Amino acid sequence: MTDLATARAAGRPRQIIAAARVLLEAEGPEALTMRRLADRVGVKAPSLYKHFPDKSSVVAALATEMLRETAGVLAAAEAAAPGSFSALATAYRTYALAHPHLYLLTMGRTLPATGAADAAAAPLFRAAGGDEDRARAAWAFAHGMVVLELNGRFPPGADLSAAWEAGIAAFTAGPAG
């Protein structure tokens, strides 16, 4: 194999995941099939299986990518406003709303066993003063609000900004007594 062929082969999984993400974000999870993905990459579907054994492994790679990106977004929010749950919640919501299909696909399944999930959780854990239960409750609030918002589960005209602010205030008022 030539150096160029080796480089192309090494980049193929990245190309497949990039194509899967474009397909997912443009058309939703129903469009994410191995056949459609192969068409987008410009190969026959069986060629995908050289890099990913099945669709669930493509989804796991997308989930890992989303968690890494979320970790980066939250780390940036933490750097800009250390210890601020408000900054973290706002960054989390903004990212999720910008990538709804990727967010729902990732968070609607068991998270991959990578360090990405821990890295994404670390800023919230620090903002909660190291209190795991408080951090989990804060994440449950943010995640629940995002999922309900993305699924259109709030009544028409509901003031979601006010609901977010009320939830944030509940977690920034100090430890529960």
Side-chain angles (χ1 to χ4, degrees):
M1 214 184 232
T2 67
D3 288 342
L4 182 57
T6 302
R8 279 192 196 127
R12 182 65 77 177
R14 185 73 225 129
Q15 181 187 17
I16 292 167
I17 293 306
R21 183 162 180 178
V22 169
L23 191 59
L24 172 68
E25 295 212 30
E27 300 181 43
E30 309 79 35
L32 188 58
T33 67
M34 294 301 266
R35 183 172 306 282
R36 295 272 322 269
L37 185 53
D39 289 345
R40 185 166 285 274
V41 175
V43 300
K44 295 200 181 295
S47 296
L48 293 179
Y49 296 103
K50 294 176 186 174
H51 305 285
F52 294 95
D54 52 29
K55 180 181 168 182
S56 68
S57 62
V58 172
V59 170
L62 286 168
T64 297
E65 186 170 281
M66 180 270 189
L67 290 168
R68 283 187 190 127
E69 288 176 6
T70 300
V73 164
L74 296 179
E78 180 182 38
S84 171
F85 174 67
S86 178
L88 294 173
T90 299
Y92 184 86
R93 179 183 185 209
T94 299
Y95 179 85
L97 295 180
H99 307 283
H101 295 303
L102 182 61
Y103 180 86
L104 290 172
L105 183 75
T106 299
M107 301 310 254
R109 62 192 320 271
T110 301
L111 295 178
T114 66
D118 291 340
L124 181 57
F125 180 72
R126 289 188 290 271
D131 181 335
E132 284 187 16
D133 293 330
R134 189 171 178 77
R136 284 186 185 117
W139 178 77
F141 153 73
H143 172 69
M145 286 288 295
V146 163
V147 168
L148 291 170
E149 186 171 2
L150 289 175
N151 287 325
R153 298 301 305 260
F154 288 103
D159 187 347
L160 299 185
S161 294
W164 267 95
E165 291 305 316
I168 289 168
F171 286 100
T172 56

